[in-house]
Structures are given as C-alpha cells and as structure tokens.
Amino acid sequence: MSGKVVLTGQVHLGGRALFAPLRLVLAPGQWTALLGPSGVGKSTLLRLIAGLPIGGTFAGQVENRLPVALMAQDAGLLPWLTVRQNAGLGARLRGGQIDAARLEDILQSCGLADHAGAYPATLSGGQRQRVALARTLMEDRPLVLLDEPFSALDARMRLAMQDLAARLLKGRTVLMVTHDPAEAARLADHIVLLDETGLTELPAPQTPAPRAVLDRGVLDCQAALLVRLVA
Ligand code: ADP
Ligand code: MG
C-alpha cells in the first residue's frame, strides 16, 4: 500500500491568505471527507494535490505524490464525444487499451447503459455528473480526488452512487469534497473541516463504509457536523 499524502502550506490570492497555514494528511487506503464554506479553498486544495495550476500562489509542499484521478467540480465532459467515449477518455488520451468489459459494467452501474451513445448536451445535470463519475471510476489510480461528486444527484441515485464508489474505490486513498454531512458520515474514515482559520479534524464513525443511512453512528455524526457547519 502507498504511504500517506501530506499537503502543508498556504495559498495567497491577490496578496491575501485564503486560509491559515495548514497540514492535510490523507491516510493511505482510507477515505477523507473535506467540508467547509464555499470559496474557502477546497477545490484549490484538490488541484494542488493533483499537481494542477491554481488561481493564486502556493507556499508549501505536497509530500508523496501518487498517480491521481481527479473528478473536478465541473463535470468537464467533451461535448463532441458520447457518454461511452467520455467515460473511457482516460485510456484513450493515454493511447492505451480501454477495458471494454469494465467500461460497460461501470456505465451499467451508473445507470448510463441506455445513454451510452448519447452526447453530453442531451443529458441532465445528474446524468452528466454520473458520466464524470464513471470516467473517474475507470481510472485505476491509488489516489482519487472527488470534488462534490454526488451534488447533482437525487437522493436515491446519490445513495446508489455512494455505494458504488465505496465499493470500487475500496483500498484507495480518497479525498472527497462535500457539503452534505450525511454523505461524509456514511463514507468517510476521516472528516476535516476547512475554514479561514485552517483545518479542523472532526470525529467520523469507525464502522466500515458505506454505512447505512439510518445507522445510529451515522445519524449522530451527521447531526454533529450540521451543528458545526451552521455555527
Ligand atoms: P471552494 O472549492 O472551497 O468553494 P475554491 O478553491 O474553488 O473554493 O476557490 C477559493 C478561492 O479562490 C475563491 O475565492 C475563488 O474565487 C478563488 N479562485 C478559484 N480559482 C481561481 C482562479 N482560477 N483565479 C482566481 N481566483 C480563483
Ligand atoms: Mg469547490
């Protein structure tokens, strides 16, 4: 198993610090949920870990860079490719062989089998988000960064996609941004809150994920997070 990923440092934007200096540790093979108000820098942290450029300057370092799959907040689908081609884009861009059986399996699991030949413009927001998820799940990477991956999904589909992601990403190091306390409580092994003062670690249920929605520990965690988020 690959070691922990550690980001230390601070981001400045227009001469102003986005948040206090922080240290974010991603435990190997575990799922970390990152919560916090809009605009505080969550997506920026994901981009830093992915080694992508950010709006602003970063003073700090990322230790232990791993091959990464990033599901960005914007689905980022290519409009001239079909659902199936978008979902298989990673291998295609690398000029590698697409695992066709896995692709069909993931499209099926994401409820996209009937739309595999459709173009993004004809899809709903939720369907587009599921294509982006399918593309991320197709990538076989030890580090997976998910930026509000289920935010556009209805409640039933959201639970199904959470279960699917938990199953397919088991054993990988995952960092997921979410605004949904229930999602963090069912999926995460570690929960961190980002605000201007930096990162705060909050307790997560210690039972195996994905946890049942009505699990006592999930409901308690969800309530505690909600209290914290609206404080
Ligand atoms: P979050 O994901 O927590 O909502 P972001 O990381 O997207 O926040 O953004 C943090 C701050 O950086 C915001 O104030 C946003 O306006 C700013 N920002 C993000 N991307 C850019 C960019 N490319 N250029 C300039 N400012 C940016
Ligand atoms: Mg964001």
Side-chain angles (χ1 to χ4, degrees):
M1 181 165 310
S2 27
K4 65 186 175 189
V5 175
V6 185
L7 179 150
T8 37
Q10 192 172 31
V11 173
H12 284 86
L13 195 65
R16 198 178 61 85
L18 207 45
F19 40 72
L22 59 76
R23 179 179 161 82
L24 172 62
V25 179
L26 304 182
Q30 301 201 349
W31 194 304
T32 302
L34 172 62
L35 294 96
S38 289
V40 75
K42 303 180 300 295
S43 297
T44 299
L45 286 183
L46 262 56
R47 293 183 65 84
L48 285 170
I49 294 171
L52 296 172
I54 58 163
T57 56
F58 175 52
Q61 60 173 341
V62 180
E63 290 164 50
N64 187 24
R65 279 193 190 282
L66 299 173
V68 62
L70 168 68
M71 179 179 167
Q73 199 167 348
D74 156 25
L77 305 181
L78 299 181
W80 57 88
L81 296 183
T82 65
V83 164
R84 180 182 282 110
Q85 290 167 334
N86 267 288
L89 187 65
R92 183 181 170 132
L93 285 177
R94 289 188 294 273
Q97 196 66 34
I98 294 179
D99 183 339
R102 181 175 169 81
L103 178 57
E104 295 312 311
D105 197 37
I106 286 179
L107 288 174
Q108 178 77 40
S109 300
C110 289
L112 294 167
D114 293 343
H115 305 281
Y119 289 89
T122 67
L123 303 178
S124 72
Q127 288 169 331
R128 278 199 285 272
Q129 192 169 42
R130 280 182 276 136
V131 179
L133 178 66
R135 186 173 63 195
T136 308
L137 295 175
M138 279 298 291
E139 296 294 286
D140 186 22
R141 298 294 168 86
L143 177 60
V144 181
L145 308 173
L146 305 171
D147 204 345
E148 304 189 30
F150 313 111
S151 58
L153 307 182
D154 66 70
R156 214 174 110 251
M157 186 58 87
R158 182 179 297 201
L159 290 183
M161 292 302 100
Q162 289 170 347
D163 287 344
L164 177 71
R167 178 162 62 82
L168 295 183
L169 300 179
K170 199 164 191 60
R172 292 168 209 256
T173 305
V174 180
L175 177 60
M176 172 184 70
V177 174
T178 181
H179 287 301
D180 180 0
E183 186 162 283
R186 30 189 333 247
L187 293 177
D189 304 301
H190 305 277
I191 301 176
V192 290
L193 176 63
L194 178 66
D195 63 20
E196 309 75 50
T197 67
L199 273 183
T200 312
E201 202 162 338
L202 303 171
Q206 288 310 299
T207 47
R211 307 172 188 106
V213 187
L214 297 180
D215 176 283
R216 188 72 250 167
V218 167
L219 291 174
D220 288 348
C221 174
Q222 184 180 341
L225 287 177
L226 195 54
V227 167
R228 189 63 200 252
L229 291 172
V230 299

